[in-house]
Amino acid sequence: MDIEPIHPGTPPVGIAAAALWLPGGVSKVSEAVEHRRIRARTARELGHEALPCADDVAAPDMAVHAARQALAAAGEPAAALDVVCHAWMYHQGHDLWSAPHYVARALGAAAALPFGMQQVCNGGAMSLDTVAAQLLHRGARPGPGNGKGKGQGLGLVTTGDRFVEPGFDRWAADYGVAYGDAGTAVLLRTPAGPRDPLLLRAVATAAAPGLEEMHRGADPFSDAARTLRDRVDMRATKRAYLKEHGDEPFRTANECCVREVVAGALHEAGLAADDPRIRCVVLPRFGLKTLEEGWRPVLADCVAAPAVDLGRDTGHLGAGDATASIAELVRDRVLAPGEYALVLSAGAGFTWSCLAVEATAAAGLTKEMQR
């Protein structure tokens, strides 16, 4: 099967496999309400019955579990990886330590270049863009490159986040968002192979750095983590920001940047806003009220495809929203060959991303990912 790139001279980037690994534990919203961590009204606005909870699995280990599933599904050994990028939002288990190198070592990716992407909730989406660029750059170099043949490369993006006490209350740490634990992995290949179920056709990103204060508030800079408060409290910093600036700067930036990244991804992928090949727009994994008020109306105005919410059973997965959504598109065979999905992600700072993925004729061959 021949796969043509959107831009002449640029090899297509294949998504060879993707995996979402969820721990066995759960945190129930009914218990959070009963113990007065959140109000019943807040629980209804979030819209989650329960969230995945990793009681005894470290965040990087969840990433390793997901990565092993993705590599197995693609039939690729970890030794063939050129790049391993690990993204995260919250504490990885050690201070002054490299979780990306741990992931690479645990997988046996001794020849890969490990590096990290600490861009808070948008880390997974930004990692896909960065690893794709790394692979394309490596393929453009003269000489044998990675030994698998000039112009070929294999890169892995992983995420792993675990939002547990005592430092983080997954239900009450933030407004409009509840946090689930998970590991994700996406395996990229350049150029795309004939058995890759998806192609990464476009990544568009926009930022509004003026909003970084929303997660800093009026707090002074501290000398060590959690010395100002005994747990992460994004509500406190957002209250301080809103008291000073109101909500108009964020609302305006969110609408403008969502429109910008959707338009950018459509343009890069060569799609019109009403193209019938666009099957769906995948929302970030935020609370119901946040999506209904801040995302669905904007998206309905700039793309014809329906917006779908895959986050009711997971909650927000830290850096892993976009990569988890890609994994579920592959696992559930949502797209028929030739169909597209737009996958959205956003994170503190603030940064927004939209990824355009296209299903190939091999989209129905990933039986291992059905498990």
Side-chain angles (χ1 to χ4, degrees), residues 20 22 46 48 51-52 121 176-180 182 184 282-288 290-291 295 308-329 331-332 343-346:
L20 167 62
L22 297 173
L46 289 171
H48 309 291
L51 298 173
C121 307
V177 183
Y179 293 76
T184 73
V282 185
L283 294 162
R285 296 171 184 243
F286 299 156
L288 279 176
T290 299
L291 295 176
W295 286 81
V308 298
D309 179 5
L310 302 180
R312 289 312 92 210
D313 294 333
T314 68
H316 182 43
L317 299 178
D321 274 13
T323 44
S325 294
I326 289 174
E328 292 195 284
L329 290 175
R331 183 194 67 194
D332 297 334
V343 180
L344 288 154
S345 176

Side-chain angles (χ1 to χ4, degrees), residues 5 11 16 31 38 45 56 67 114 160 207 248 290 321:
E31 294 176 353
I38 57 171
E45 292 173 348
D56 56 359
E248 188 58 30
T290 299
D321 274 13

Side-chain angles (χ1 to χ4, degrees), residues 121-296:
C121 307
N122 206 46
M126 199 74 236
S127 296
L128 290 171
D129 194 13
T130 302
V131 169
Q134 277 264 340
L135 294 177
L136 291 170
H137 172 66
R138 286 165 175 256
R141 293 176 182 173
N146 56 30
K148 298 193 292 295
K150 182 180 177 181
Q152 296 182 352
L154 202 63
L156 179 70
V157 170
T158 64
T159 75
D161 272 306
R162 179 174 180 256
F163 303 101
V164 294
E165 300 282 359
F168 202 108
D169 185 335
R170 68 180 73 250
W171 294 104
D174 204 351
Y175 288 119
V177 183
Y179 293 76
D181 302 341
T184 73
V186 176
L187 187 64
L188 299 180
R189 190 198 321 268
T190 57
R195 293 180 61 85
D196 296 346
L198 297 177
L199 301 177
L200 181 61
R201 285 300 196 184
V203 183
T205 299
L211 297 174
E212 60 81 20
E213 189 181 342
M214 290 190 75
H215 287 77
R216 177 170 53 87
D219 293 351
F221 286 93
S222 61
D223 295 326
R226 302 212 314 268
T227 55
L228 296 176
R229 300 181 183 88
D230 61 359
R231 64 178 57 193
V232 175
D233 189 353
M234 290 172 276
R235 292 187 176 191
T237 59
K238 289 181 178 180
R239 283 195 300 269
Y241 176 89
L242 293 171
K243 182 179 180 180
E244 179 73 18
H245 304 284
D247 64 357
E248 188 58 30
F250 176 77
R251 289 181 180 274
T252 299
N254 184 70
E255 179 175 348
C256 290
C257 288
V258 170
R259 290 180 182 275
E260 180 179 342
V261 298
V262 170
L266 290 173
H267 177 75
E268 186 178 338
L271 299 168
D274 59 352
D275 195 310
R277 292 175 294 172
I278 306 174
R279 174 72 177 274
C280 60
V281 180
V282 185
L283 294 162
R285 296 171 184 243
F286 299 156
L288 279 176
K289 183 179 179 181
T290 299
L291 295 176
E292 291 296 328
E293 294 183 354
W295 286 81
R296 287 186 182 275

